[in-house]
Amino acid sequence: MKKLTLIAAALLLILTTGCSLEPPEWAKPKTGGDIKEMKIGLSVSTLNNPFFVSLKDGVVAEAKKQGMETIVVDAQNDSAKQSNDVDDLIQKGVNVLLINPTDSAAISTVVQNANDLGIPVITLDRSSDKGDVKALVASDNVKGGKMAAEYIVKMLGKGAKVIELEGVPGASATRERGKGFHEVADTDLNVIAKQAADFDRTKGLNVMENLLQGNPDVQAVFAHNDEMALGAIEAIQSSGKNIPVIGFDGNEDALNSIKAGKLTATVAQQPELIGQMAVQAAKDVLQGKTVDKSIPAPLKLVTKDQQ
């Protein structure tokens, strides 16, 4: 009798747990309603970076123009915090998620959670490794990395010795920018050292200081974003050397540094435009329209002569 009671209790627990997985009615996304009643949840990898501040501004401005509410959360470059943030956005009943992943692998679980609830996901600048993403709105990072390498070859010739400052390990932008760069660099340049500095200016400074000590004959630096590039310039100036540095993003600080003759060049994105395009894609998805899986934003190489 006791055994039967235990089995019955176990079955009841399984049934109860199964029922709890069903989302409450308020958390289920609206369909076919007024777009002005829709709520956007935006998770940004970090707002301690001018590029992502501009991206956020683009989202908020375009959403306001469309009459949509935006809830913004800052992951502070912490993938665990970002997962919790997105879960919180889901609990607040957002109708669509715009996610700029800190880590493309780590974000996969919450993307899949959103999929299970029927909440559409659009990623910005970086992708998610798994889950159903309606669209990735981003610059062509592979093409941008290639543009940087080609510019170094044009400037210094084949075989030039280059240091590469890599972004956050695991981020799709890190992989893609590195891939494009090495499509040219592996045959036409000599990459004498590379190390992650996590898209961070202070880390870019510290990493560059160490790499300069071990590689005094370096002729150029390619950084996967402008923040690391600006940190690298500080280290180079402190060492008394004059080494060209190419960044990636085209943020305001980088453009000002190019004007001042410090940063040599940057592969410029348009973060505000990326934000605007993501909101338009979100609007289309919420209205039942089909959107392209990849929505590219234009890139251009900016130098002092081309501003």
Side-chain angles (χ1 to χ4, degrees):
M1 186 66 182
K2 184 182 288 187
K3 187 174 181 180
L4 288 172
T5 302
L6 288 172
I7 292 171
L11 286 170
L12 181 62
L13 179 61
I14 291 169
L15 288 171
T16 303
T17 304
C19 290
S20 68
L21 295 176
E22 179 68 22
E25 287 300 319
W26 59 264
K28 294 179 180 178
K30 298 176 185 177
T31 55
D34 185 348
I35 198 70
K36 293 184 179 180
E37 296 177 1
M38 301 298 181
K39 190 185 298 183
I40 294 174
L42 171 64
S43 172
V44 185
S45 60
T46 175
L47 290 176
N48 190 31
N49 181 324
F51 177 83
F52 295 117
V53 173
S54 294
L55 184 147
K56 181 263 296 180
D57 290 344
V59 169
V60 173
E62 183 63 22
K64 185 177 181 181
K65 181 180 174 182
Q66 300 291 343
M68 302 167 74
E69 179 186 351
T70 309
I71 303 173
V72 181
V73 288
D74 177 9
Q76 298 171 12
N77 269 335
D78 183 331
S79 57
K81 183 180 185 305
Q82 185 164 47
S83 295
N84 291 332
D85 286 347
V86 175
D87 284 336
D88 288 343
L89 289 172
I90 290 172
Q91 290 300 312
K92 289 176 179 176
V94 298
N95 302 97
V96 60
L97 285 164
L98 303 188
I99 304 176
N100 159 236
T102 294
D103 184 297
S104 300
I107 202 62
S108 297
T109 299
V110 288
V111 170
Q112 291 168 324
N113 289 345
N115 294 160
D116 291 341
L117 290 170
I119 301 172
V121 177
I122 292 168
T123 53
L124 296 81
D125 189 56
R126 305 167 184 167
S127 65
S128 172
D129 286 352
K130 295 180 181 177
D132 177 24
V133 173
K134 296 297 182 184
L136 164 64
V137 184
S139 304
D140 187 336
N141 284 310
V142 175
K143 181 179 179 181
K146 189 175 179 181
M147 287 168 65
E150 288 171 343
Y151 180 69
I152 294 172
V153 173
K154 182 180 177 181
M155 182 172 50
L156 299 174
K158 291 188 176 184
K161 297 179 179 179
V162 183
I163 283 176
E164 180 184 7
L165 297 182
E166 300 173 307
V168 174
S172 61
T174 300
R175 295 196 302 264
E176 292 162 6
R177 292 173 190 184
K179 180 178 183 292
F181 179 70
H182 282 277
E183 282 182 5
V184 174
D186 287 352
T187 55
D188 293 345
L189 294 170
N190 180 10
V191 181
I192 56 176
K194 60 180 180 176
Q195 188 173 329
D198 299 343
F199 294 129
D200 182 83
R201 190 180 302 198
T202 301
K203 290 182 181 179
L205 166 62
N206 295 334
V207 169
M208 193 68 217
E209 284 178 339
N210 293 331
L211 291 178
L212 278 173
Q213 292 178 6
N215 303 275
D217 55 345
V218 60
Q219 295 173 271
V221 177
F222 169 55
H224 287 193
N225 83 336
D226 288 335
E227 289 297 289
M228 294 187 296
L230 294 169
I233 288 170
E234 290 184 50
I236 291 167
Q237 288 178 331
S238 296
S239 72
K241 295 179 180 291
N242 183 18
I243 302 167
V245 179
I246 293 83
F248 198 123
D249 280 343
N251 70 35
E252 186 177 355
D253 286 352
L255 297 178
N256 289 335
S257 182
I258 291 172
K259 285 180 183 177
K262 297 178 182 179
L263 183 64
T264 307
T266 182
V267 179
Q269 303 189 78
Q270 300 184 63
E272 285 194 36
L273 179 60
I274 290 173
Q276 292 165 8
M277 293 168 71
V279 172
Q280 185 59 57
K283 179 184 175 183
D284 288 344
V285 168
L286 289 171
Q287 292 180 329
K289 298 177 184 177
T290 301
V291 298
D292 292 337
K293 281 286 186 181
S294 177
I295 302 175
L299 281 172
K300 65 176 181 177
L301 184 75
V302 177
T303 65
K304 192 171 184 179
D305 296 333
Q306 296 173 321
Q307 279 194 319

